[in-house]
Amino acid sequence: QVHLVESGGGSVQVGDSLRLACTASVTSFNTYSMGWFRQAPGKEREYVAVITWSGGGTSYADSVKGRFTISRDNGANTVYLQMNSLKPEDTAVYYCAAARGGSYYRPLIEAFRYDYWGQGTQVTVSS
């Protein structure tokens, strides 16, 4: 079992930045692919950014490409999502997810491939 805890959400203004963190309680964190997904009110959950277990591959949704950066610190069992130039449409609950294994370079984009999920952290961007 993997327990994921997100932190770093909050309410910000358009153009501001936030950094989300997700810490996993697992001894083999470096064998898990990690991802950030989000769900806005009335919408389905969507993928935001994902990273391979090696850190050698990342992928971003078109809506956040160039503004968000996913990274991981395997020594700290933590994955981060740096969010810059935030927009009102980024408002959502952000979820961290973990999947066993995966490719060294090719990230897992589909939500159904992820085995464990955090409780979510709210991000609200006001204009």
Side-chain angles (χ1 to χ4, degrees):
Q1 188 73 14
V2 178
H3 185 53
L4 303 173
V5 178
E6 302 103 332
S7 61
S11 297
V12 297
Q13 300 293 313
V14 168
D16 284 351
S17 298
L18 277 176
R19 189 175 82 153
L20 305 183
C22 171
T23 301
S25 60
V26 65
T27 56
S28 55
F29 178 75
N30 60 355
T31 66
Y32 284 80
S33 297
M34 300 298 296
W36 287 98
F37 296 78
R38 68 186 181 187
Q39 188 167 18
K43 295 188 176 181
E44 292 189 355
R45 189 172 298 189
E46 62 176 359
Y47 114 92
V48 176
V50 292
I51 188 167
T52 60
W53 57 267
S54 65
T58 58
S59 180
Y60 299 90
D62 288 343
S63 58
V64 306
K65 202 169 294 184
R67 299 187 297 122
F68 290 12
T69 303
I70 189 171
S71 61
R72 65 188 298 157
D73 181 348
N74 286 342
N77 280 19
T78 301
V79 61
Y80 302 98
L81 185 67
Q82 178 66 44
M83 306 186 294
N84 298 330
S85 303
L86 283 162
K87 304 176 181 180
E89 51 264 44
D90 294 318
T91 295
V93 177
Y94 283 70
Y95 297 91
C96 172
R100 295 185 191 88
S103 167
Y104 187 95
Y105 286 118
R106 190 171 301 169
L108 302 176
I109 295 175
E110 300 88 353
F112 74 85
R113 297 187 184 278
Y114 287 81
D115 308 295
Y116 304 100
W117 294 81
Q119 81 289 347
T121 185
Q122 176 71 46
V123 172
T124 303
V125 185
S126 302
S127 57

